[in-house]
Amino acid sequence: MRVGVLGCGVISHTYLTNLRRYPQVSVVAVADLVTERATSTAAVHGVEAMTSPAGLLERDDIDLVCNLTVPQAHADVTARAIDAGKHVYGEKPLAVSPAEITPTLAAAATAGLVVGCAPDTFLSPGQQLARRLLDEGRIGTPVSAAASWLSRGHESWHPAADFYYRAGGGPLFDMGPYYLTVLVNLLGSVLQVSAVTSTAWTTRMLVVGDRAGEHFAVDVPTHVSGLLLFESGASATVQMSFDVTGDVPRRLEIYGTEGTLYCPDPNGFDGDVGVYADGERRQLTVAADGDQRGIGLADLADAVRSGRPARASAALSFHVLEVMDALHRAGAERRVVDVASRVTRPVPLSPDEGWLG
Ligand SMILES: NC(=O)c1ccc[n+]([C@@H]2O[C@H](COP(=O)([O-])OP(=O)(O)OC[C@H]3O[C@@H](n4cnc5c(N)ncnc54)[C@H](O)[C@@H]3O)[C@@H](O)[C@H]2O)c1
């Protein structure tokens, strides 16, 4: 499948490097609103630079658009790519709200085009091992879970971090997808949520890059404490924050009737799995395979070719988007909010799948 990349920022280099691993995809061209970014990125990775995003969408030799723009542009770029007859795989979140992307997903389905979305870290060896242990009943029946990612925010390292503080950003919409996608992959659909949300700083400052020193307004909650009820009856507490100072370990644990599963940090592809069962905790070593970001796109390409559902699918990312939207609303309105969509857990990844290379 021939791929065109839209958005040549920080993360594009990871995709352009990693997608070379997968023989079933090849990047043909890149484009960005800022043409010089497309030109310099293309030069580094040996692909063609287009002078405009529209020009890339007009090309007949591109089958799939990889949408690496900022969250606020995700829905619009995906809609244009579907209009142009391309499959789409994009960075998270799928959109800034469920309503924003719903018509595009309907249009894609009508046109027979497939949409997929990051994160794909739930396909990492560690998360897949956790899924297998859970499905084999090693911790009995899951009762609850805890997930947390707490930091002081992305301005410490990202030169254009202000986008993380607009609608579609915040710790929940930015980091939440990693943790929530793993929770849904393990525990299934979320039925309803409640939350307390807050914002410690209403103004922040960029600290690295050309714009260092520039202040910007914070439009989204930057600390979210959420409670999820899954269709299975299990529950989870979720804490996502840009308001925490200090080095706080990230956590993703599943508590079952017979034991506890300690999952690796889903904000990456490495990490071992811990299991507490039969009165002892064991650490299961998982062979590290580096950053595999893009594996979800390669899986989608194989899914289109072989007519099976993609794993990092629109259905999964839409459900996660709905959960995040519901958590923000629950916090703002101080009430329990129902989640309408349901999703089937993705089929576990098998080492025998030829497309893995
Ligand atoms: N930076 C990371 O480490 C990281 C990690 C995981 C996921 N992501 C996600 O990847 C996405 C991009 O992040 P980034 O860090 O690369 O951002 P960035 O700001 O570095 O780059 C985004 C690029 O998209 C371009 N762009 C914006 N609107 C566009 C449009 N309509 N058409 C074409 N180009 C457009 C911008 O000009 C910019 O070059 C975000 O959704 C982010 O959440 C980033």
Side-chain angles (χ1 to χ4, degrees):
M1 195 166 274
R2 297 160 302 180
V3 177
V5 172
L6 284 182
C8 297
V10 174
I11 204 63
S12 64
H13 297 283
T14 306
Y15 276 86
L16 287 161
T17 304
N18 290 1
L19 288 178
R20 288 204 204 97
R21 278 183 182 216
Y22 302 107
Q24 70 274 37
V25 294
S26 69
V27 177
V28 174
V30 300
D32 194 290
L33 284 181
V34 183
T35 308
E36 304 81 69
R37 267 186 218 159
T39 313
S40 57
T41 303
V44 171
H45 296 279
V47 295
E48 196 179 331
M50 303 296 294
T51 50
S52 74
L56 185 143
L57 293 177
E58 280 165 15
R59 284 179 68 143
D60 291 334
D61 62 347
I62 288 177
D63 311 300
L64 186 153
V65 165
C66 180
N67 180 358
L68 304 181
T69 62
V70 292
Q72 295 73 22
H74 285 175
D76 180 57
V77 168
T78 298
R80 287 174 198 270
I82 294 296
D83 270 355
K86 317 294 187 199
H87 303 289
V88 181
Y89 180 89
E91 256 302 334
K92 47 79 193 165
L94 184 60
V96 305
S97 72
E100 192 192 30
I101 197 71
T102 298
T104 301
L105 296 184
T110 304
L113 296 167
V114 178
V115 177
C117 187
D120 49 7
T121 52
F122 74 95
L123 298 173
S124 72
Q127 303 299 349
Q128 290 291 308
L129 173 60
R131 167 78 183 261
R132 196 166 77 238
L133 295 169
L134 187 105
D135 290 354
E136 286 171 0
R138 289 285 288 277
I139 62 162
T141 305
V143 174
S144 70
S148 64
W149 185 91
L150 311 170
S151 91
R152 184 60 176 79
H154 290 330
E155 57 271 36
S156 61
W157 62 273
H158 198 294
D162 45 331
F163 78 75
Y164 288 116
Y165 295 88
R166 306 216 175 93
L172 181 63
F173 274 61
D174 180 51
M175 299 309 296
Y178 297 108
Y179 295 81
L180 294 169
T181 302
V182 168
L183 287 176
V184 173
N185 181 49
L186 295 174
L187 302 176
S189 298
V190 177
L191 213 55
Q192 62 176 211
V193 309
S194 50
V196 176
T197 57
S198 55
T199 306
W201 291 276
T202 53
T203 307
R204 294 202 180 216
M205 190 181 80
L206 295 174
V207 289
V208 296
D210 296 346
R211 293 168 56 210
E214 200 178 296
H215 287 81
F216 57 91
V218 174
D219 300 338
V220 289
T222 46
H223 190 93
V224 177
S225 299
L227 189 55
L228 316 183
L229 171 65
F230 290 83
E231 202 174 24
S232 67
S235 63
T237 55
V238 174
Q239 269 205 315
M240 297 287 139
S241 187
F242 285 165
D243 291 349
V244 171
T245 304
D247 185 13
V248 185
R250 295 157 190 186
R251 187 156 70 123
L252 183 45
E253 296 167 353
I254 313 288
Y255 313 117
T257 52
E258 311 296 327
T260 292
L261 198 53
Y262 308 88
C263 300
D265 180 5
N267 180 31
F269 283 85
D270 294 339
D272 297 339
V273 177
V275 194
Y276 183 92
D278 304 321
E280 63 170 338
R281 178 172 170 159
R282 290 174 56 212
Q283 201 68 2
L284 306 177
T285 307
V286 178
D289 198 15
D291 187 338
Q292 293 170 274
R293 205 179 288 269
I295 188 174
L297 185 151
D299 174 69
L300 183 143
D302 181 72
V304 170
R305 188 188 55 78
S306 54
R308 64 168 173 85
R311 290 179 168 94
S313 66
L316 178 59
S317 53
F318 183 85
H319 184 67
V320 167
L321 177 62
E322 236 202 317
V323 171
M324 297 190 297
D325 185 64
L327 283 164
H328 270 186
R329 280 195 290 133
E333 299 166 20
R334 298 189 176 198
R335 66 182 181 92
V336 172
V337 176
D338 290 331
V339 176
S341 64
R342 299 287 176 268
V343 64
T344 306
R345 296 188 312 156
V347 173
L349 205 51
S350 154
D352 305 331
E353 300 193 30
W355 64 269
L356 278 168

